[in-house]
Amino acid sequence: MWNATPEEVAADYPCGRHLTVPFRSFVRAVDVAAPVPVVYRWLCQLKVAPYSYDLVDNLGRRSPRTLTPGAEDLAIGQKFLIFEVVEFVRDEHLTGLIAQRHRRSYGEVAVTYRVTPCAAGTRLVGRLDVGATTVFEQARRAALAVGDALMGRKQLLTIKQLAEATAQTE
């Protein structure tokens, strides 16, 4: 868990409805000095690039620093990161389930990115649910937790930076 309140850790998220195996949740959060619609629009950019450590997870290509026209047009089944969109509510949340082609590598995984208004502007929370039923899957989940702690934190901080810059120019 990174920067998440006890209430955020205990809260229900849409991703919790999409795994059929026992899972463990990893929650990270950040305040963003930008309005909810701006932050949500940057979340939709996850269809375009990962916004984490580009050298590691984007083959060295820099994630775009401007909004991609049309990226906010979401649909069930669209790909983002290693996920497919399973549900979303504009300016509230984006939820995905791991794409079939990635299940062998990562196992059962679901994610929700949630945005809510707060005193600073927007509270951005990401929750990753990782399923495991065997010892091997539990070891893989532990490795994913470490990776998510590093990559997920960087991703939220990058989205924060970009959304704040966008809000200043609007």
Side-chain angles (χ1 to χ4, degrees), residues 127-149:
R127 183 173 115 174
L128 186 72
D129 290 349
V130 184
T133 55
T134 68
V135 172
F136 170 75
E137 290 170 348
Q138 290 169 354
R140 179 173 54 198
R141 179 173 60 197
L144 281 173
V146 172
D148 181 63

Side-chain angles (χ1 to χ4, degrees), residues 40-48 68-80 84-96 113:
Y40 188 81
R41 180 64 183 83
W42 275 102
L43 280 180
C44 294
Q45 286 288 118
L46 294 175
K47 287 174 29 181
V48 177
T68 303
E72 72 278 11
D73 299 328
L74 299 177
I76 301 301
Q78 281 182 327
K79 295 178 180 112
F80 75 101
E84 292 179 356
V85 176
V86 290
E87 58 179 290
F88 65 93
V89 175
R90 187 178 192 94
D91 297 336
E92 289 183 23
H93 77 88
L94 169 59
T95 298
Y113 293 91

Side-chain angles (χ1 to χ4, degrees), residues 39-122:
V39 179
Y40 188 81
R41 180 64 183 83
W42 275 102
L43 280 180
C44 294
Q45 286 288 118
L46 294 175
K47 287 174 29 181
V48 177
Y51 290 92
S52 185
Y53 293 102
D54 288 333
L55 187 60
V56 175
D57 62 4
N58 204 21
L59 302 175
R61 294 184 310 268
R62 187 169 191 197
S63 296
R65 294 314 197 235
T66 58
L67 292 168
T68 303
E72 72 278 11
D73 299 328
L74 299 177
I76 301 301
Q78 281 182 327
K79 295 178 180 112
F80 75 101
L81 305 172
I82 61 171
F83 303 97
E84 292 179 356
V85 176
V86 290
E87 58 179 290
F88 65 93
V89 175
R90 187 178 192 94
D91 297 336
E92 289 183 23
H93 77 88
L94 169 59
T95 298
L97 183 62
I98 193 156
Q100 185 66 41
R101 70 180 189 278
H102 295 294
R103 287 187 182 158
R104 182 173 168 93
S105 298
Y106 297 100
E108 293 293 320
V109 183
V111 67
T112 292
Y113 293 91
R114 185 183 76 186
V115 291
T116 54
C118 71
T122 300

Side-chain angles (χ1 to χ4, degrees), residues 2-3 28-30 51-53 147-160:
W2 173 74
N3 206 33
R28 56 201 182 279
V30 67
Y51 290 92
S52 185
Y53 293 102
D148 181 63
L150 300 170
M151 306 296 275
R153 179 181 180 276
K154 172 66 170 153
Q155 182 184 68
L156 292 189
L157 290 174
T158 300
I159 290 171
K160 169 186 169 66

